[in-house]
Amino acid sequence: MQQPSGAGPAVPFPTTAAAGSDDDSENAHPVEVLLLNQVAVVTPDGVVPAGPPRRGTVLAVLALAAGSVVPQHTLVDALWDAELPGNAAANLQTYVWGLRKILGAVHLERVGDGYRLDLPRAACDALRAEDALGDARAVLRNGRREQRLATAGSLHALLEHWNGRALPGIPGSWGDQTRERLDRLRTELVGVWAELLLSAGQPEQVVRPLRQATAAAPLDEDLGVLLVRALRDLGRHQDALEEYERIRSALETELSVPPGPALRSLHRELRAAGHRPSRSTSSPAQLPPLPDGFVGRSAEVAELVARLDPDRGPGPAIVVLDGPGGIGKSALGLRVAHAVAADYPDGQLFAGLRAHHPGHELQPADVLQGFVQALGVRPEQVPAGEEQLSALLRSLLAARRVLIVLDDVPSAQVARQILPGSPHCAVLITSRARLQGLVLAEGAHRHAVRPLPAGESLELLRRHLGPAAVDADPRSALLLAELCEHWPLALRIVGELAIAHDVQSSLRAITAEIQAIGDDWMEGLRLDDDDTTAMSEVLSWSLTRLPDDECRRLYRLLGSCPTVTVDVNIVAALLDVSRARAGQLILTLASRHLLEPVAGRPGWYVVHDLIRMHARVQSRAIESPQVRDAAVLRVLEWYAACVAAARACLQLPASPLTGVLAAPGDAGERLGLTSRETATEWFAASRDNLLATVRTAGELTHPSAWQITIGMAGYLMEHHDPRAHALTHETAIEVSRSLGRPGVSTPLLNNLSFLHERLGNADTAIEMARQSVEAAFENAEPGLIAHTCGRLAWLALNAGLLGEAAQAAQRGLAVADPEDWRTYGLHLPLVGVLFRQGRPDEGWQHAQRTLELARRSELGWPVFHATSEVARNLLDHRPHDSLEMLAPVLSGSVDLPPLHVATARVTQAMAALRTGDHELAEFAARTAMTVFEETGTRRSDDASRAAEVLAELGAGAPVTGT
């Protein structure tokens, strides 16, 4: 019962019926929720992934509640550990809305201040596993031998399908805690399965799986008892005694407790039989001791133990653990090696090749000489050449079961010279390189070692600082772990350094001090008596081993790169090289784990924060400020060109700011931007990089701050990201003022007033609009004056300041060309003023002029805007005319932003309700509500109006409240 590696096929967890019950398959639920191998929904059309991690979190919380109501605060706590976003409730509703689309017929309803997923326990794989455990325990207590064997078979199938760690990709404390609970559930299932078979007299089936399980949970005494029982029942008393010694040592070392009664009883029984643990003196046992305080990685250990089965294939089992320096490869490798050592009774060979210890590297010939001598060859019989040594080692291992551990291997070529040929041997290799040659040629299994999960990072800190210090201030401890990026070496060093402080009272002070120091704090990640464990030295060795100066220069400049992720275009700009050369350099760094691929985005890479910090320190030491700034400016200019190209594809109306965008050059062609859809996808994928580049441009007072801000404004506006939008505008305004560009800062202020309106800051929005109007008059540009006056007039109208609205519109019209179609935006608020003042006839006449001007543009957006706003003003006076006006612009012939269309749909719903067309009213209101849910704008006034229409119709909104 070996646990397959990787995600494996998307196989639903076996239902009770599949496990042998008499349930009729016709009673199966139409939808199943998967949480064990993946977070997904099984529908009649196939397996549908839950999507973004937080949406998956909501699905998992609701599914595990087994049809009970989950309070909103419980969901919010599961989604966000500490600091909640300001729009947490709106974000939660967006995730719920996304789940409804996936779940189809399954009812996800709002109940009071919470949500309920109408899903029986049998339709969730994790809950089925819990129920299977209870049923199996009942059979173990009362079942006959035939029942025990049948139940063991069902559990075997169940465990085979559970082929990875539960809740993959679910972040945060809730995810970590629930994963730990489900890990314990799986361990208990393995234990009950083994007990069923042992009680039925079949111990031979359980030894290998129990070895895997005890490797993953070495302190689980219950599993240890079962393994000792199985070995005893097979007559392997010596192995049983050795297993007892392993468990006893682990319990006393890690927990300071003796073995329990059951284990002691087994030990007495084995000793009474006259057996003692022993090891042949001719078998080498070179494994170094386990690192003190190794924690976590239980699922990885179990998978790797299964991979090192001496009987799994025609050739030797080869496993490569790769990852950056300090990530914990060597510790994990030793943990696995000790776990499988008993499977290789002819010995364990170990060599540290020290590839990243300049001047102290061990050559393959040195390793081979040591190995053959350890296997009994006298020094005078050892051949001199590497080829002869390799051949001799293979001969010596041909009939043996030996485990070879090679630590810090520089390349596949070096490792290949030390590989055995025997199918009963195994090789465990650690390396900072990916060693893909071994995967392709020798069939090695690659396992990338990642940072620890948050919960395991805290456990490691507990080992060093003591549980009291960490548990007294868990938030500071978690922040400390995040500053160390959850890398074991950094955590161990910080833990040792913190011991010198009064950690219980100063854990918060330590984290604050680290944050205040900035990049230089990495230099402090060292112990006085051991430079080989200093983080900066460990990473510097990786830098030194890069093949050429250009690779090393890229590494250094990545520390200054203003983006979160990089691709060939960004690296080409950063280094001022061709895209082809940039691609080569990226692959070189990625092969050494100095860049990591971004999941789901081929061609994109991310730099670990610790590596970025080290790169910045190295860059400041070697590159001049002029070189660093020039590299950053090239990236900023590239992104300014990208957003100009992407904005052109969005087909947005012209604005006074369009003229200050950067020239797109060939950016659109290089990015494959050919349509509104491709541009929207690019903006969505590039959001974090865009925000980061604006911040950097602000720090450097560079025009790209406003060029990027303006270029992405349309996307951010339509995808309900007003806070990010406002921050970029504030930066751009500051830069434009510093560079003396009032023609830029004035319309940016005008945009910022709109954003504050979206954020619900009406007073701030109006005040900023007033400032932008006065600045526009000072700048004396008629286009800007008309634009800003129109904005102020609109805000004042919505605030009920009819006099100020009329005055602002008239000021704009006084300087604008009366025949310019763009003045429709100044006429529109005047239409609203007249209608609200009870002068509908004058308002209607003014509306006709407004519509005439908008139609002169021959563009879709002005006509839609003018028509929808005039229709809204006609609601109370001429609802039939309102409906008639809206019909052509809502026909779908114009590609328009969804939120604006939704607003017009609300007007259509209200007009249809007043004219008695209830079917159209419900359709329009529901269509609008769908958009408001999808964009997280259910708190808006328009969303409230749509909900009121549905309530009056008795139809009910899809979700009520927030």
Side-chain angles (χ1 to χ4, degrees):
M1 188 187 65
Q2 295 166 356
Q3 203 174 321
S5 65
V11 182
F13 207 80
T15 63
T16 305
S21 78
D22 296 328
D23 291 348
D24 189 337
S25 61
E26 294 180 0
N27 295 328
H29 200 265
V31 166
E32 294 183 77
V33 174
L34 306 181
L35 303 178
L36 299 180
N37 296 325
Q38 59 183 324
V39 181
V41 176
V42 182
T43 71
D45 297 324
V47 179
V48 182
R54 285 200 169 96
R55 188 197 293 168
T57 300
V58 175
L59 175 64
V61 174
L62 292 172
L64 290 174
S68 299
V69 176
V70 179
Q72 179 171 292
H73 67 82
T74 300
L75 289 164
V76 169
D77 289 345
L79 287 165
W80 296 282
D81 286 333
E83 297 182 7
L84 301 183
N87 58 346
N91 286 344
L92 173 58
Q93 288 183 347
T94 301
Y95 303 141
V96 169
W97 178 83
L99 288 176
R100 284 199 179 102
K101 292 204 298 184
I102 296 173
L103 291 164
V106 177
H107 198 40
L108 201 176
E109 61 181 345
R110 183 72 180 265
V111 181
D113 188 35
Y115 292 90
R116 176 182 177 274
L117 179 60
D118 185 15
L119 195 76
R121 290 181 64 86
C124 173
D125 61 356
L127 297 180
R128 286 202 301 270
E130 289 182 353
D131 295 343
L133 178 62
D135 294 344
R137 282 175 171 159
V139 171
L140 184 61
R141 287 192 301 269
N142 305 312
R144 298 185 303 276
R145 183 176 186 276
E146 296 77 10
Q147 291 175 300
R148 295 184 181 193
L149 288 174
T151 303
S154 297
L155 290 187
H156 181 274
L158 182 153
L159 289 163
E160 283 289 305
H161 282 293
W162 191 343
N163 56 18
R165 204 164 184 210
L167 301 178
I170 298 301
S173 299
W174 183 89
D176 289 341
Q177 292 166 7
T178 307
R179 254 188 302 275
E180 289 175 8
R181 178 171 68 81
L182 292 172
D183 284 346
R184 290 193 297 273
L185 171 62
R186 194 181 197 283
T187 299
E188 291 179 54
L189 284 166
V190 171
V192 172
W193 167 81
E195 281 197 85
L196 287 165
L197 287 176
L198 288 174
S199 66
Q202 296 192 4
E204 67 280 357
Q205 296 189 40
V206 305
V207 172
R208 184 71 188 171
L210 283 176
R211 283 206 186 280
Q212 296 175 25
T214 54
L219 299 177
D220 191 314
E221 189 172 355
D222 292 337
L223 288 178
V225 167
L226 291 169
L227 180 53
V228 173
R229 279 177 55 192
L231 293 168
R232 179 205 62 187
D233 292 352
L234 288 169
R236 294 168 57 181
H237 287 197
Q238 178 177 310
D239 290 339
L241 281 166
E242 289 185 354
E243 183 61 27
Y244 167 82
E245 288 297 325
R246 182 199 67 77
I247 302 168
R248 181 197 60 76
S249 176
L251 292 172
E252 292 181 354
T253 301
E254 299 291 338
L255 303 179
S256 299
V257 298
L263 197 56
R264 291 200 304 271
S265 176
L266 280 170
H267 184 234
R268 285 193 299 270
E269 177 186 338
L270 291 167
R271 290 181 67 85
H275 295 274
R276 299 290 185 274
S278 64
R279 173 180 289 276
S280 170
T281 55
S282 63
S283 299
Q286 298 182 347
L287 294 180
L290 276 172
D292 181 45
F294 180 89
V295 301
R297 302 200 188 276
S298 58
E300 293 174 83
V301 170
E303 177 195 337
L304 295 169
V305 166
R307 286 278 175 186
L308 291 172
D309 184 345
D311 300 314
R312 64 177 289 123
I318 304 172
V319 169
V320 177
L321 307 182
D322 58 50
I327 202 70
K329 303 180 298 296
S330 297
L332 175 60
L334 284 175
R335 179 73 189 83
V336 172
H338 279 277
V340 300
D343 291 330
Y344 297 91
D346 296 320
Q348 302 88 43
L349 299 169
F350 178 90
L353 279 80
R354 301 195 292 269
H356 293 86
H357 293 66
H360 302 281
E361 301 92 334
L362 200 62
Q363 298 303 315
D366 300 324
V367 176
L368 290 165
Q369 287 177 7
F371 282 178
V372 298
Q373 290 184 47
L375 292 169
V377 178
R378 292 193 299 273
E380 65 272 15
Q381 295 176 322
V382 174
E386 283 187 5
E387 290 187 9
Q388 292 86 351
L389 282 167
S390 293
L392 177 56
L393 178 65
R394 289 193 294 273
S395 298
L396 292 169
L397 297 177
R400 305 192 192 197
R401 288 178 180 258
V402 173
L403 172 68
I404 298 176
V405 179
L406 303 175
D407 188 48
D408 198 12
V409 173
S411 67
Q413 181 179 0
V414 168
R416 196 171 281 122
Q417 298 176 64
I418 313 173
L419 296 182
S422 168
H424 303 300
C425 292
V427 185
L428 180 59
I429 298 170
T430 73
S431 178
R432 298 191 193 184
R434 297 181 189 273
L435 305 190
Q436 291 168 316
L438 290 182
V439 177
L440 295 174
E442 278 75 26
H445 170 72
R446 270 192 62 239
H447 179 86
V449 182
R450 308 292 185 193
L452 292 171
E456 294 178 4
S457 293
L458 293 179
E459 181 58 31
L460 185 55
L461 286 176
R462 286 188 184 95
R463 294 288 182 93
H464 286 273
L465 304 179
V470 174
D471 295 340
D473 191 0
R475 290 189 63 178
S476 294
L478 181 59
L479 178 57
L480 185 60
E482 289 171 351
L483 289 170
C484 293
E485 212 177 353
H486 304 287
W487 284 28
L489 178 59
L491 288 164
R492 290 176 186 275
I493 296 173
V494 165
E496 291 299 318
L497 294 174
I499 291 173
H501 296 69
D502 179 9
V503 292
Q504 189 160 352
S505 61
S506 65
L507 196 55
R508 187 171 303 174
I510 293 171
T511 57
E513 182 180 350
I514 289 174
Q515 289 177 302
I517 293 172
D519 293 347
D520 292 333
W521 85 275
M522 177 177 279
E523 292 302 309
L525 278 177
R526 63 175 65 242
L527 302 177
D528 292 339
D529 59 347
D530 189 2
D531 278 346
T532 63
T533 60
M535 275 303 306
S536 59
E537 294 298 323
V538 169
L539 293 177
S540 292
W541 295 334
S542 293
L543 173 60
T544 302
R545 284 197 62 86
L546 287 172
D548 57 53
D549 289 341
E550 204 161 32
C551 286
R552 288 186 280 274
R553 182 166 172 257
L554 171 58
Y555 177 91
R556 292 191 295 269
L557 290 179
L558 283 171
S560 304
C561 186
T563 60
V564 179
T565 55
V566 298
D567 70 344
V568 291
N569 293 304
I570 294 172
V571 170
L574 193 68
L575 290 181
D576 197 17
V577 297
S578 69
R579 296 174 71 215
R581 178 57 179 154
Q584 294 170 351
L585 294 170
I586 286 173
L587 291 178
T588 299
L589 267 66
S591 71
R592 290 157 173 79
H593 285 283
L594 299 175
L595 285 171
E596 295 290 348
V598 177
R601 294 191 66 196
W604 283 88
Y605 297 83
V606 67
V607 186
H608 284 294
D609 287 345
L610 286 176
I611 292 177
R612 188 185 288 267
M613 192 185 306
H614 178 260
R616 278 197 294 267
V617 172
Q618 294 294 313
S619 182
R620 286 201 300 265
I622 295 175
E623 308 288 353
S624 69
Q626 293 80 8
V627 168
R628 297 198 304 270
D629 288 348
V632 171
L633 292 180
R634 286 193 295 270
V635 175
L636 297 180
E637 288 164 359
W638 161 249
Y639 261 98
C642 290
V643 295
R647 188 187 190 282
C649 292
L650 291 181
Q651 304 168 1
L652 297 174
S655 81
L657 287 171
T658 306
V660 301
L661 291 172
D666 65 345
E669 181 180 353
R670 287 165 66 173
L671 296 173
L673 301 177
T674 57
S675 64
R676 182 183 180 89
E677 289 73 24
T678 56
T680 299
E681 290 172 3
W682 181 82
F683 272 120
S686 305
R687 177 190 179 277
D688 291 344
N689 276 358
L690 292 170
L691 298 181
T693 53
V694 171
R695 283 195 300 272
T696 302
E699 294 166 2
L700 297 177
T701 318
H702 190 263
S704 57
W706 70 67
Q707 292 170 338
I708 297 172
T709 294
I710 295 161
M712 67 177 171
Y715 170 80
L716 290 177
M717 187 180 302
E718 289 310 319
H719 289 78
H720 194 65
D721 204 349
R723 282 184 173 78
H725 201 176
L727 288 172
T728 59
H729 270 71
E730 289 166 2
T731 301
I733 289 167
E734 184 176 346
V735 171
S736 63
R737 284 172 170 169
S738 298
L739 295 178
R741 295 291 299 271
V744 174
S745 59
T746 301
L748 282 171
L749 272 169
N750 191 56
N751 282 2
L752 194 53
S753 74
F754 174 83
L755 293 168
H756 278 289
E757 181 193 20
R758 291 280 294 274
L759 289 168
N761 307 326
D763 293 341
T764 303
I766 291 175
E767 180 55 36
M768 299 199 76
R770 290 167 181 157
Q771 291 180 26
S772 67
V773 167
E774 298 311 316
F777 272 99
E778 290 177 14
N779 201 45
E781 288 190 21
L784 280 177
I785 291 172
H787 194 68
T788 56
C789 283
R791 179 72 196 140
L792 176 58
W794 196 256
L795 286 169
L797 174 66
N798 289 337
L801 304 174
L802 302 185
E804 184 173 4
Q807 182 185 25
Q810 294 293 357
R811 287 182 75 186
L813 288 170
V815 299
D817 178 355
E819 299 304 314
D820 187 339
W821 68 265
R822 287 171 291 190
T823 59
Y824 88 91
L826 289 164
H827 286 280
L828 263 181
L830 287 175
V831 172
V833 169
L834 291 169
F835 273 102
R836 293 192 190 190
Q837 288 177 339
R839 300 154 63 185
D841 292 339
E842 294 176 68
W844 176 242
Q845 291 176 2
H846 212 81
Q848 300 284 17
R849 172 63 174 163
T850 303
L851 293 169
E852 177 192 347
L853 287 167
R855 292 187 187 108
R856 288 184 189 176
S857 71
E858 299 182 355
L859 298 172
W861 165 248
V863 173
F864 177 86
H865 183 211
T867 302
S868 60
E869 290 304 326
V870 169
R872 183 183 290 255
N873 282 291
L874 289 174
L875 273 174
D876 292 331
H877 306 278
R878 307 168 69 160
H880 285 92
D881 289 332
S882 178
L883 267 185
E884 186 177 345
M885 293 176 66
L886 285 170
V889 297
L890 287 173
S891 63
S893 60
V894 181
D895 187 14
L896 294 166
L899 269 177
H900 292 289
V901 176
T903 298
R905 286 287 185 195
V906 173
T907 302
Q908 184 184 43
M910 296 170 71
L913 183 64
R914 295 178 190 190
T915 59
D917 190 342
H918 290 181
E919 183 177 352
L920 177 59
E922 181 175 352
F923 166 78
R926 286 197 180 280
T927 302
M929 288 297 289
T930 298
V931 176
F932 296 141
E933 281 192 20
E934 188 171 23
T935 56
T937 53
R938 288 189 57 88
R939 297 176 70 98
S940 66
D941 291 340
D942 283 320
S944 298
R945 293 186 187 102
E948 289 169 5
V949 170
L950 291 171
E952 190 166 341
L953 290 169
V959 180
T960 58
T962 60

